[in-house]
Amino acid sequence: MQGFWQAFLLSTGAGLATALGSLIALFSKRENRRFLSFALGFAAGVMILVSVADLLPQARVHLLRGMQAQTADGLTLVFLCVGLACAAAIDRALPHRERKTPVTGGKAAALARVGAVTAAAVTLHNLPEGMATFMAGYAGLHVGLPVAVSIALHNIPEGIAVSAPLYYGTGSRAKAFTFSALSGLSEPVGALLAFTVLRPFLSPLLFGVLFAWVAGIMLYLSFAGLIPSAQAAGHTGFAVAGIFGGLVFMQFALLVLAA
């Protein structure tokens, strides 16, 4: 059981980094729309980079273990589109009615909706990550620790992505932190699923499909939710700076951890 607890604690620690990102967002002043523009842009940059430079390549690598390159590329594209469609359906299912508030200039409900969709996307994203972290940790600390650190680094801005729009949209620090923390705790849930239920069914095909699907959800969220909301906060320059900041931060993190 030592291997189980080692792997489970690594998954839990990586997931809790989302709560750390939430605290960074919640310590800002609610009236600071410059920070809101930058934070939403930063989160979008991180999600775009993670999707394009990490999740989609991982999906292809996993799928190539059981099929030819052309088939793997086609399946990656199909489930990328499935993820986009799922995110669009979630977005349309949520209420779009706005209410006037002095803080958000009439965009409070829209921001809260972005936060809710982000929380759902991050939760889905963290489930297969929790499985991957658990399996790596189960193989050994020398394998699992770098994976857990990598995931924790990009969970921090994901926590900002969940909590910032929810806090600015609802004014509730407790609600924003709770949603962010729960989305991160889906990683140990994924670890438990990997150990108790899915262990006999885990395969390169399943991981490839999951990574491509989640990449589609995150790309939709970035381009249809986070970036428009960052611009709507009224400081386009800060939004653009945040996007490039997120791209650079995540690329740097991936390069450091790959070394």
Tab-separated table of all heavy atoms in Angstrom, residues 4-42:
chain	number	residue	atom	x	y	z
A	4	PHE	N	0.615	2.936	-3.253
A	4	PHE	CA	-0.668	3.609	-3.452
A	4	PHE	C	-0.665	4.984	-2.795
A	4	PHE	O	-1.046	5.980	-3.413
A	4	PHE	CB	-1.807	2.763	-2.881
A	4	PHE	CG	-3.099	3.527	-2.735
A	4	PHE	CD1	-3.920	3.719	-3.826
A	4	PHE	CD2	-3.461	4.078	-1.508
A	4	PHE	CE1	-5.110	4.440	-3.699
A	4	PHE	CE2	-4.645	4.793	-1.370
A	4	PHE	CZ	-5.466	4.974	-2.469
A	5	TRP	N	-0.255	5.058	-1.524
A	5	TRP	CA	-0.304	6.341	-0.811
A	5	TRP	C	0.667	7.335	-1.404
A	5	TRP	O	0.377	8.540	-1.467
A	5	TRP	CB	-0.018	6.115	0.679
A	5	TRP	CG	-1.174	5.498	1.390
A	5	TRP	CD1	-1.240	4.257	1.942
A	5	TRP	CD2	-2.458	6.103	1.607
A	5	TRP	NE1	-2.482	4.033	2.478
A	5	TRP	CE2	-3.243	5.147	2.296
A	5	TRP	CE3	-3.019	7.337	1.283
A	5	TRP	CZ2	-4.563	5.399	2.674
A	5	TRP	CZ3	-4.325	7.598	1.649
A	5	TRP	CH2	-5.077	6.639	2.336
A	6	GLN	N	1.809	6.885	-1.838
A	6	GLN	CA	2.769	7.777	-2.494
A	6	GLN	C	2.158	8.393	-3.745
A	6	GLN	O	2.212	9.610	-3.957
A	6	GLN	CB	4.029	6.997	-2.849
A	6	GLN	CG	5.055	7.767	-3.678
A	6	GLN	CD	6.253	6.905	-3.985
A	6	GLN	OE1	7.138	6.720	-3.155
A	6	GLN	NE2	6.287	6.337	-5.173
A	7	ALA	N	1.549	7.557	-4.580
A	7	ALA	CA	0.952	8.039	-5.819
A	7	ALA	C	-0.257	8.925	-5.541
A	7	ALA	O	-0.462	9.945	-6.198
A	7	ALA	CB	0.547	6.841	-6.689
A	8	PHE	N	-1.068	8.554	-4.543
A	8	PHE	CA	-2.267	9.327	-4.225
A	8	PHE	C	-1.897	10.710	-3.683
A	8	PHE	O	-2.528	11.717	-4.036
A	8	PHE	CB	-3.124	8.578	-3.215
A	8	PHE	CG	-4.400	9.273	-2.860
A	8	PHE	CD1	-5.456	9.311	-3.756
A	8	PHE	CD2	-4.552	9.915	-1.636
A	8	PHE	CE1	-6.640	9.961	-3.446
A	8	PHE	CE2	-5.731	10.562	-1.314
A	8	PHE	CZ	-6.778	10.583	-2.215
A	9	LEU	N	-0.886	10.785	-2.829
A	9	LEU	CA	-0.466	12.078	-2.277
A	9	LEU	C	0.121	12.985	-3.363
A	9	LEU	O	-0.082	14.206	-3.333
A	9	LEU	CB	0.547	11.861	-1.155
A	9	LEU	CG	-0.024	11.278	0.141
A	9	LEU	CD1	1.094	10.979	1.132
A	9	LEU	CD2	-1.044	12.233	0.760
A	10	LEU	N	0.827	12.421	-4.320
A	10	LEU	CA	1.337	13.223	-5.432
A	10	LEU	C	0.189	13.820	-6.242
A	10	LEU	O	0.215	15.003	-6.611
A	10	LEU	CB	2.225	12.367	-6.339
A	10	LEU	CG	3.624	12.029	-5.825
A	10	LEU	CD1	4.309	11.056	-6.779
A	10	LEU	CD2	4.463	13.290	-5.662
A	11	SER	N	-0.833	13.020	-6.517
A	11	SER	CA	-2.000	13.517	-7.261
A	11	SER	C	-2.727	14.594	-6.474
A	11	SER	O	-3.134	15.621	-7.031
A	11	SER	CB	-2.958	12.360	-7.561
A	11	SER	OG	-2.348	11.372	-8.349
A	12	THR	N	-2.889	14.389	-5.171
A	12	THR	CA	-3.587	15.369	-4.334
A	12	THR	C	-2.815	16.678	-4.268
A	12	THR	O	-3.395	17.776	-4.378
A	12	THR	CB	-3.783	14.812	-2.917
A	12	THR	OG1	-4.492	13.578	-2.994
A	12	THR	CG2	-4.563	15.796	-2.061
A	13	GLY	N	-1.499	16.602	-4.096
A	13	GLY	CA	-0.688	17.814	-4.042
A	13	GLY	C	-0.748	18.610	-5.328
A	13	GLY	O	-0.854	19.849	-5.306
A	14	ALA	N	-0.704	17.918	-6.463
A	14	ALA	CA	-0.803	18.612	-7.750
A	14	ALA	C	-2.163	19.284	-7.894
A	14	ALA	O	-2.264	20.415	-8.375
A	14	ALA	CB	-0.578	17.621	-8.893
A	15	GLY	N	-3.229	18.607	-7.433
A	15	GLY	CA	-4.560	19.193	-7.533
A	15	GLY	C	-4.743	20.406	-6.641
A	15	GLY	O	-5.398	21.383	-7.018
A	16	LEU	N	-4.138	20.393	-5.453
A	16	LEU	CA	-4.289	21.509	-4.520
A	16	LEU	C	-3.606	22.788	-5.012
A	16	LEU	O	-3.886	23.873	-4.501
A	16	LEU	CB	-3.730	21.119	-3.147
A	16	LEU	CG	-4.567	20.107	-2.361
A	16	LEU	CD1	-3.878	19.732	-1.056
A	16	LEU	CD2	-5.963	20.670	-2.076
A	17	ALA	N	-2.718	22.673	-5.995
A	17	ALA	CA	-2.110	23.870	-6.568
A	17	ALA	C	-3.168	24.772	-7.211
A	17	ALA	O	-2.970	25.980	-7.334
A	17	ALA	CB	-1.050	23.480	-7.596
A	18	THR	N	-4.299	24.197	-7.613
A	18	THR	CA	-5.401	25.002	-8.150
A	18	THR	C	-5.927	25.961	-7.090
A	18	THR	O	-6.243	27.119	-7.386
A	18	THR	CB	-6.533	24.085	-8.638
A	18	THR	OG1	-6.004	23.100	-9.507
A	18	THR	CG2	-7.590	24.876	-9.385
A	19	ALA	N	-6.025	25.494	-5.845
A	19	ALA	CA	-6.475	26.358	-4.752
A	19	ALA	C	-5.481	27.484	-4.506
A	19	ALA	O	-5.868	28.610	-4.169
A	19	ALA	CB	-6.682	25.536	-3.489
A	20	LEU	N	-4.182	27.211	-4.677
A	20	LEU	CA	-3.169	28.255	-4.531
A	20	LEU	C	-3.376	29.347	-5.569
A	20	LEU	O	-3.298	30.542	-5.250
A	20	LEU	CB	-1.770	27.640	-4.672
A	20	LEU	CG	-0.595	28.610	-4.631
A	20	LEU	CD1	-0.559	29.366	-3.307
A	20	LEU	CD2	0.722	27.863	-4.850
A	21	GLY	N	-3.643	28.966	-6.798
A	21	GLY	CA	-3.933	29.955	-7.828
A	21	GLY	C	-5.170	30.759	-7.503
A	21	GLY	O	-5.235	31.964	-7.765
A	22	SER	N	-6.167	30.102	-6.916
A	22	SER	CA	-7.383	30.802	-6.516
A	22	SER	C	-7.080	31.889	-5.497
A	22	SER	O	-7.598	33.006	-5.582
A	22	SER	CB	-8.388	29.806	-5.937
A	22	SER	OG	-9.524	30.462	-5.429
A	23	LEU	N	-6.230	31.603	-4.524
A	23	LEU	CA	-5.893	32.593	-3.493
A	23	LEU	C	-5.201	33.808	-4.094
A	23	LEU	O	-5.411	34.943	-3.647
A	23	LEU	CB	-4.997	31.950	-2.429
A	23	LEU	CG	-5.669	30.902	-1.543
A	23	LEU	CD1	-4.642	30.258	-0.618
A	23	LEU	CD2	-6.795	31.538	-0.727
A	24	ILE	N	-4.370	33.599	-5.122
A	24	ILE	CA	-3.706	34.723	-5.791
A	24	ILE	C	-4.740	35.669	-6.373
A	24	ILE	O	-4.649	36.899	-6.242
A	24	ILE	CB	-2.758	34.205	-6.886
A	24	ILE	CG1	-1.602	33.419	-6.259
A	24	ILE	CG2	-2.229	35.356	-7.734
A	24	ILE	CD1	-0.711	32.721	-7.260
A	25	ALA	N	-5.757	35.112	-7.015
A	25	ALA	CA	-6.803	35.947	-7.608
A	25	ALA	C	-7.646	36.637	-6.548
A	25	ALA	O	-8.029	37.798	-6.691
A	25	ALA	CB	-7.694	35.101	-8.518
A	26	LEU	N	-7.936	35.947	-5.448
A	26	LEU	CA	-8.844	36.484	-4.446
A	26	LEU	C	-8.222	37.580	-3.595
A	26	LEU	O	-8.936	38.336	-2.938
A	26	LEU	CB	-9.344	35.352	-3.543
A	26	LEU	CG	-10.172	34.275	-4.241
A	26	LEU	CD1	-10.626	33.219	-3.246
A	26	LEU	CD2	-11.361	34.881	-4.951
A	27	PHE	N	-6.906	37.696	-3.585
A	27	PHE	CA	-6.262	38.759	-2.825
A	27	PHE	C	-6.243	40.089	-3.572
A	27	PHE	O	-5.817	41.099	-3.022
A	27	PHE	CB	-4.841	38.364	-2.433
A	27	PHE	CG	-4.775	37.563	-1.162
A	27	PHE	CD1	-4.377	36.235	-1.187
A	27	PHE	CD2	-5.134	38.125	0.042
A	27	PHE	CE1	-4.325	35.483	-0.022
A	27	PHE	CE2	-5.083	37.387	1.222
A	27	PHE	CZ	-4.679	36.069	1.189
A	28	SER	N	-6.688	40.083	-4.832
A	28	SER	CA	-6.774	41.344	-5.576
A	28	SER	C	-8.054	42.076	-5.196
A	28	SER	O	-9.017	41.483	-4.714
A	28	SER	CB	-6.772	41.072	-7.088
A	28	SER	OG	-7.985	40.467	-7.479
A	29	LYS	N	-8.055	43.390	-5.419
A	29	LYS	CA	-9.261	44.175	-5.170
A	29	LYS	C	-10.296	43.885	-6.242
A	29	LYS	O	-9.987	43.800	-7.424
A	29	LYS	CB	-8.933	45.672	-5.164
A	29	LYS	CG	-8.034	46.100	-4.021
A	29	LYS	CD	-7.783	47.597	-4.075
A	29	LYS	CE	-6.887	48.042	-2.910
A	29	LYS	NZ	-6.611	49.506	-2.957
A	30	ARG	N	-11.542	43.749	-5.832
A	30	ARG	CA	-12.593	43.411	-6.795
A	30	ARG	C	-12.774	44.514	-7.829
A	30	ARG	O	-13.190	44.269	-8.955
A	30	ARG	CB	-13.908	43.157	-6.045
A	30	ARG	CG	-14.995	42.582	-6.946
A	30	ARG	CD	-16.199	42.118	-6.158
A	30	ARG	NE	-17.214	41.633	-7.074
A	30	ARG	CZ	-18.466	42.046	-7.086
A	30	ARG	NH1	-18.864	42.955	-6.233
A	30	ARG	NH2	-19.326	41.534	-7.937
A	31	GLU	N	-12.463	45.767	-7.471
A	31	GLU	CA	-12.635	46.878	-8.403
A	31	GLU	C	-11.491	46.975	-9.413
A	31	GLU	O	-11.531	47.803	-10.311
A	31	GLU	CB	-12.738	48.200	-7.625
A	31	GLU	CG	-13.977	48.306	-6.751
A	31	GLU	CD	-13.815	47.570	-5.416
A	31	GLU	OE1	-12.702	47.062	-5.142
A	31	GLU	OE2	-14.800	47.490	-4.665
A	32	ASN	N	-10.455	46.165	-9.257
A	32	ASN	CA	-9.275	46.252	-10.114
A	32	ASN	C	-9.513	45.502	-11.420
A	32	ASN	O	-9.177	44.331	-11.564
A	32	ASN	CB	-8.061	45.676	-9.384
A	32	ASN	CG	-6.763	45.925	-10.135
A	32	ASN	OD1	-6.773	46.389	-11.272
A	32	ASN	ND2	-5.652	45.613	-9.505
A	33	ARG	N	-10.109	46.202	-12.376
A	33	ARG	CA	-10.437	45.546	-13.638
A	33	ARG	C	-9.201	45.324	-14.507
A	33	ARG	O	-9.239	44.495	-15.411
A	33	ARG	CB	-11.502	46.348	-14.375
A	33	ARG	CG	-12.872	46.230	-13.736
A	33	ARG	CD	-13.949	46.507	-14.748
A	33	ARG	NE	-14.655	47.724	-14.427
A	33	ARG	CZ	-15.472	48.350	-15.274
A	33	ARG	NH1	-15.647	47.872	-16.468
A	33	ARG	NH2	-16.108	49.440	-14.920
A	34	ARG	N	-8.141	46.069	-14.258
A	34	ARG	CA	-6.887	45.791	-14.964
A	34	ARG	C	-6.390	44.392	-14.614
A	34	ARG	O	-5.958	43.640	-15.498
A	34	ARG	CB	-5.829	46.845	-14.602
A	34	ARG	CG	-6.100	48.232	-15.188
A	34	ARG	CD	-4.965	49.183	-14.845
A	34	ARG	NE	-5.159	50.484	-15.455
A	34	ARG	CZ	-5.868	51.467	-14.915
A	34	ARG	NH1	-6.444	51.281	-13.716
A	34	ARG	NH2	-6.008	52.622	-15.527
A	35	PHE	N	-6.449	44.059	-13.320
A	35	PHE	CA	-6.028	42.713	-12.912
A	35	PHE	C	-6.947	41.663	-13.515
A	35	PHE	O	-6.495	40.595	-13.938
A	35	PHE	CB	-6.034	42.583	-11.389
A	35	PHE	CG	-5.709	41.189	-10.912
A	35	PHE	CD1	-4.396	40.741	-10.863
A	35	PHE	CD2	-6.716	40.299	-10.564
A	35	PHE	CE1	-4.090	39.456	-10.449
A	35	PHE	CE2	-6.425	39.011	-10.148
A	35	PHE	CZ	-5.105	38.593	-10.093
A	36	LEU	N	-8.249	41.954	-13.560
A	36	LEU	CA	-9.191	41.001	-14.149
A	36	LEU	C	-8.847	40.740	-15.606
A	36	LEU	O	-8.799	39.581	-16.045
A	36	LEU	CB	-10.623	41.528	-14.025
A	36	LEU	CG	-11.707	40.663	-14.675
A	36	LEU	CD1	-11.769	39.291	-14.011
A	36	LEU	CD2	-13.058	41.351	-14.588
A	37	SER	N	-8.604	41.804	-16.388
A	37	SER	CA	-8.243	41.643	-17.796
A	37	SER	C	-6.973	40.812	-17.929
A	37	SER	O	-6.889	39.890	-18.750
A	37	SER	CB	-8.044	43.010	-18.459
A	37	SER	OG	-9.262	43.683	-18.617
A	38	PHE	N	-5.966	41.139	-17.113
A	38	PHE	CA	-4.694	40.415	-17.198
A	38	PHE	C	-4.865	38.956	-16.776
A	38	PHE	O	-4.349	38.047	-17.434
A	38	PHE	CB	-3.643	41.097	-16.310
A	38	PHE	CG	-2.303	40.435	-16.365
A	38	PHE	CD1	-1.392	40.764	-17.364
A	38	PHE	CD2	-1.942	39.465	-15.434
A	38	PHE	CE1	-0.148	40.139	-17.426
A	38	PHE	CE2	-0.712	38.829	-15.495
A	38	PHE	CZ	0.192	39.177	-16.498
A	39	ALA	N	-5.597	38.713	-15.668
A	39	ALA	CA	-5.749	37.352	-15.146
A	39	ALA	C	-6.494	36.456	-16.130
A	39	ALA	O	-6.098	35.303	-16.364
A	39	ALA	CB	-6.481	37.384	-13.811
A	40	LEU	N	-7.566	36.977	-16.725
A	40	LEU	CA	-8.319	36.178	-17.686
A	40	LEU	C	-7.484	35.900	-18.940
A	40	LEU	O	-7.506	34.800	-19.487
A	40	LEU	CB	-9.618	36.883	-18.054
A	40	LEU	CG	-10.655	37.000	-16.930
A	40	LEU	CD1	-11.825	37.871	-17.375
A	40	LEU	CD2	-11.150	35.632	-16.501
A	41	GLY	N	-6.746	36.935	-19.399
A	41	GLY	CA	-5.869	36.738	-20.551
A	41	GLY	C	-4.761	35.739	-20.249
A	41	GLY	O	-4.439	34.882	-21.079
A	42	PHE	N	-4.188	35.834	-19.051
A	42	PHE	CA	-3.123	34.926	-18.642
A	42	PHE	C	-3.634	33.484	-18.622
A	42	PHE	O	-2.976	32.563	-19.119
A	42	PHE	CB	-2.627	35.327	-17.253
A	42	PHE	CG	-1.421	34.549	-16.782
A	42	PHE	CD1	-0.137	34.975	-17.079
A	42	PHE	CD2	-1.579	33.392	-16.033
A	42	PHE	CE1	0.977	34.260	-16.639
A	42	PHE	CE2	-0.488	32.669	-15.588
A	42	PHE	CZ	0.799	33.111	-15.893
